[in-house]
Amino acid sequence: DQQVKQNSPSLSVQEGRISILNCDYTNSMFDYFLWYKKYPAEGPTFLISISSIKDKNEDGRFTVFLNKSAKHLSLHIVPSQPGDSAVYFCAASPNSGNTPLVFGKGTRLSVIA
Amino acid sequence: DAGVTQSPTHLIKTRGQQVTLRCSPKSGHDTVSWYQQALGQGPQFIFQYYEEEERQRGNFPDRFSGHQFPNYSSELNVNALLLGDSALYLCASSLGPREGTEAFFGQGTRLTVV
């Protein structure tokens, strides 16, 4: 039973446009959400996080939106750059206090120049 | 500042053998978690070590065991290897248990069981 779902295995976006990556979760106990980016032959790199007390968190070109009632979050990248091409993982945990992360399967983003 | 380092980067083992993977956490971090990432899947939590003890464990059999040393480095041991154990094994370090701490991952060890 997958608790964190990323239903789009891949996404292609033109350089300069917005990339929107989606994530759904089923466990109501999840209270803290993170996005990681992964290049081939490297480990996942932390991008941005959000706790359930917020509905939006912004860091430069990256914004994460959380809709708790819908159990849905999304990552917006504006403007998209070729260097953003990677696999993006959504992860969740019951709190931010260093509890294990539950990951989705990832979405491969390709930004086309 | 060295990040999380894992060794070896790749290895090939035969079914039934035993393997040990190693991880050095990011400087200043005291908690190490291990994840298994099968092909086409997201990382799955194996277990977490803090203060040299296993604190939390995911849904993995007892064939998977670990250890944390006084310098916070860690080992993951897998006994009686199965073909299905072929995966990328990721180590993550963090400060714990503390609020608002993010996990930093190593580059992983690619294990192939033949």
Side-chain angles (χ1 to χ4, degrees):
Chain A
D1 178 29
Q2 226 185 329
Q3 299 184 68
V4 177
K5 299 177 185 179
Q6 294 179 257
N7 291 320
S8 297
S10 63
L11 174 68
S12 285
V13 171
Q14 289 283 339
E15 181 180 6
R17 306 292 293 266
I18 184 171
S19 295
I20 301 176
L21 295 95
N22 293 305
C23 178
D24 297 294
Y25 62 96
T26 58
N27 190 336
S28 302
M29 299 299 293
F30 287 148
D31 221 29
Y32 189 62
F33 305 89
L34 307 90
W35 285 93
Y36 282 83
K37 177 169 74 173
K38 188 179 186 301
Y39 294 117
E42 294 184 13
T45 304
F46 169 75
L47 262 181
I48 191 167
S49 62
I50 187 166
S51 75
S52 61
I53 62 173
K54 293 185 172 183
D55 54 17
K56 177 182 173 181
N57 190 24
E58 207 168 341
D59 184 2
R61 297 186 297 115
F62 302 92
T63 303
V64 57
F65 296 91
L66 175 62
N67 182 334
K68 276 201 78 175
S69 60
K71 294 190 177 68
H72 176 84
L73 62 153
S74 60
L75 174 69
H76 292 211
I77 307 173
V78 183
S80 301
Q81 299 173 354
D84 296 329
S85 297
V87 177
Y88 288 79
F89 290 100
C90 171
S93 72
N95 59 62
S96 64
N98 213 358
T99 48
L101 299 173
V102 178
F103 283 85
K105 289 186 177 183
T107 296
R108 181 177 300 280
L109 173 66
S110 299
V111 179
I112 303 160
Chain B
D1 174 26
V4 180
T5 58
Q6 292 185 242
S7 63
T9 54
H10 296 83
L11 76 166
I12 300 173
K13 288 286 189 178
T14 303
R15 191 171 45 182
Q17 284 188 315
Q18 179 263 346
V19 69
T20 298
L21 311 182
R22 295 176 175 81
C23 172
S24 292
K26 179 178 168 64
S27 177
H29 284 185
D30 56 9
T31 301
V32 173
S33 301
W34 287 91
Y35 290 80
Q36 180 196 66
Q37 186 181 7
L39 202 61
Q41 304 293 315
Q44 265 198 299
F45 175 73
I46 303 174
F47 43 52
Q48 182 184 78
Y49 277 84
Y50 171 67
E51 292 184 334
E52 300 180 51
E53 287 188 18
E54 183 182 295
R55 298 292 177 167
Q56 302 186 70
R57 188 177 183 94
N59 189 23
F60 279 80
D62 291 346
R63 298 187 296 109
F64 289 77
S65 63
H67 189 77
Q68 185 179 36
F69 299 93
N71 67 352
Y72 308 123
S73 67
S74 176
E75 287 181 351
L76 163 65
N77 300 294
V78 187
N79 293 323
L81 283 166
L82 304 173
L83 296 179
D85 294 331
S86 296
L88 180 68
Y89 288 84
L90 294 162
C91 169
S93 75
S94 54
L95 282 171
R98 289 172 180 79
E99 294 291 323
T101 177
E102 282 78 37
F104 288 76
F105 284 83
Q107 84 282 7
T109 294
R110 172 75 60 188
L111 171 65
T112 302
V113 182
V114 297

